[in-house]
Amino acid sequence: MSTTLARLAQTIESRKLENGGDPATSYVAKLFSKGDDAILKKIGEEAVETVMAAKDARVSGESAALVYEVADLWFHSMVLLARFDLTPQQVIDELARREGLSGLDEKASRKAD
Ligand SMILES: N=c1c2ncn([C@@H]3O[C@H](COP(=O)(O)OP(=O)(O)OP(=O)(O)O)[C@@H](O)[C@H]3O)c2ncn1[C@@H]1O[C@H](COP(=O)(O)O)[C@@H](O)[C@H]1O
């Protein structure tokens, strides 16, 4: 896993209230303190903002805002993973497991079930 993702995952873990995270001084701790629906709402918002940034980038040819919004989406997805005691490494492992397996073949194998 990239060291940036690993460090960020550690920081997010340290912001859990049971690990001493303080909602008064930490955005992540504040999000944890608001509860699951607040985290899910942010994921929804950031997904929509990503879609809008992609549509804008298609028109303007300027894609910096898209990178920014995807970073927001990844970050909030990492907060969600932490909420369920999951790690980015588990997502990376799943992507690695799928490596070389065409999405079309995978879909066809599901339809054969
Ligand atoms: N990577 C991020 C990160 N990306 C985005 N954000 C915050 O996520 C929020 C994104 O929400 P929006 O864009 O909708 O902006 P907003 O309207 O201000 O947000 P809301 O009031 O609706 O929550 C903003 O407050 C951003 O600052 C982040 N906050 C924290 N981190 C990382 O998490 C670490 C721990 O942060 P704290 O818990 O605050 O110490 C930091 O050191 C960073 O590494």
Side-chain angles (χ1 to χ4, degrees):
M1 180 175 20
S2 104
T3 51
T4 303
L5 286 185
R7 268 200 313 273
L8 179 55
Q10 270 187 349
T11 301
I12 290 170
E13 193 62 30
S14 76
R15 297 305 198 254
K16 287 183 175 176
L17 305 187
E18 64 267 31
N19 294 333
D22 179 359
T25 58
S26 155
Y27 172 79
V28 177
K30 193 171 172 189
L31 207 44
F32 281 134
S33 75
K34 285 181 177 172
D36 293 356
D37 282 359
I39 300 172
L40 298 175
K41 190 166 167 239
K42 289 308 293 183
I43 302 263
E45 282 174 20
E46 301 306 345
V48 169
E49 285 170 16
T50 296
V51 170
M52 298 311 292
K55 287 175 79 72
D56 288 347
R58 211 166 46 179
V59 173
S60 68
E62 174 50 62
S63 52
L66 178 55
V67 172
Y68 187 94
E69 295 303 342
V70 171
D72 274 357
L73 182 57
W74 283 21
F75 165 69
H76 286 92
S77 297
M78 287 179 65
V79 174
L80 181 65
L81 287 173
R83 156 67 184 84
F84 287 93
D85 296 324
L86 297 168
T87 65
Q89 186 60 54
Q90 286 169 275
V91 178
I92 290 167
D93 289 347
E94 173 60 18
L95 290 173
R97 187 190 66 77
R98 296 179 193 179
E99 215 169 357
L101 174 62
S102 160
L104 296 178
D105 292 342
E106 185 277 332
K107 190 170 182 173
S109 75
R110 271 190 283 131
K111 282 192 173 153
D113 287 346

